[in-house]
Amino acid sequence: RVQLVESGGDSVEVGGSLRLSCVASGFAHNEYRMAWFRQFPEKEREGVAVVDSVGKIEYAKAVVGRFTISKDNAKNTLYLQMISLKPEDTAMYYCAADYGALGTPLIPIAYEYWGQGTPVTVSS
């Protein structure tokens, strides 16, 4: 069965860096698009970054130039490298996956499988 497990969330100071990981099992990476979302309290989940099954990548405007999404297919692991972190990046970060060869949607309804989230807090 499909499972996604995130890790790497932490509390860091403004301007710091973090690397989030999402270990996937139960499916082949080359058949799925995979994405990172984040959610603030009382807010809807918003897309952060996505990579589809053929390697196309898209980023949310708020993180372009600071975040990098990547995959290690041998380890079935999705990564989100974050630099120059800001207080507004504070959120629960979720890994998501959906079957499909093409397309890079950053909307929650486009994804069937979700991890439980890993928290990121950015402060002075």
Side-chain angles (χ1 to χ4, degrees):
R1 64 187 182 98
V2 174
Q3 288 187 311
L4 302 173
V5 181
E6 305 98 329
S7 64
D10 205 350
S11 297
V12 299
E13 64 182 13
V14 64
S17 301
L18 283 174
R19 186 199 197 196
L20 306 184
S21 299
C22 172
V23 179
S25 62
F27 66 94
H29 279 198
N30 64 355
E31 296 180 348
Y32 285 77
R33 67 171 70 91
M34 300 190 71
W36 289 99
F37 287 76
R38 64 187 182 183
Q39 187 170 21
F40 298 91
E42 308 299 325
K43 303 283 189 178
E44 297 181 355
R45 292 185 185 185
E46 64 178 38
V48 175
V50 56
V51 55
D52 74 5
S53 61
V54 297
K56 183 180 180 182
I57 294 172
E58 297 288 345
Y59 295 97
K61 297 295 184 182
V63 307
V64 65
R66 298 188 299 119
F67 291 11
T68 303
I69 188 171
S70 63
K71 294 194 297 182
D72 183 336
N73 288 329
K75 297 182 181 295
N76 271 4
T77 301
L78 179 74
Y79 300 100
L80 185 68
Q81 180 67 54
M82 306 183 292
I83 65 171
S84 301
L85 285 163
K86 306 174 180 180
E88 53 261 47
D89 295 319
T90 297
M92 185 71 71
Y93 284 72
Y94 296 90
C95 176
D98 198 58
Y99 182 81
L102 298 174
T104 54
L106 279 173
I107 51 176
I109 59 172
Y111 296 85
E112 175 72 18
Y113 305 104
W114 294 84
Q116 292 187 346
T118 186
V120 171
T121 301
V122 185
S123 61
S124 300

